[in-house]
Amino acid sequence: MNFRRGRAREEPEINFIPLIDLLLVILIFVMVTTTYSKYAELQINLPEASAEKAPDRPQVLNIAVDANGKYAINNVATSFNGIPAFANALREAAAAGQMKDPVIAIGADAGATHQAVVNVMEAARVVGFTKISFTTQTKSGK
């Protein structure tokens, strides 16, 4: 017995109206119960210094390393005869410039080996110079 012989089968559909109503009520509830806090600005009176300004530029000891492994300290060619000898050359250059704790600025050629740069860093560590910087150049706009 087939009672549905003449009727076409209806596709079930989902009614979104109650879902939208529910989400609207939840949205209104969240908006009403949310508290908005304002952060108060702090009024700070900074102290004023009466001391002299520190020099703008730190004392810099320039070390250059070229692609052939040659070294220069403050534009003076220096031979590398091991880390202790190069450390002494760094110490003498700092003493000649009356620098107590200079910044070591390493300017290495793009073709220089990593070991050459590490040698400079190790010599600076042996002497006790802890401030090390690397110099770069900007690319020309093409």
Side-chain angles (χ1 to χ4, degrees), residues 63-71 106-120 134:
I63 312 296
V65 181
D66 71 354
N68 298 326
K70 295 179 182 173
Y71 297 84
I106 302 172
D109 188 270
T113 62
H114 288 86
Q115 185 60 49
V117 175
V118 170
N119 289 340
V120 174
F134 295 94

Side-chain angles (χ1 to χ4, degrees), residues 23-39:
L23 289 177
L24 185 62
V25 169
I26 290 174
L27 180 67
I28 291 171
F29 177 76
V30 168
M31 288 174 43
V32 168
T33 59
T34 302
T35 58
Y36 300 100
S37 60
K38 292 182 181 178
Y39 294 102

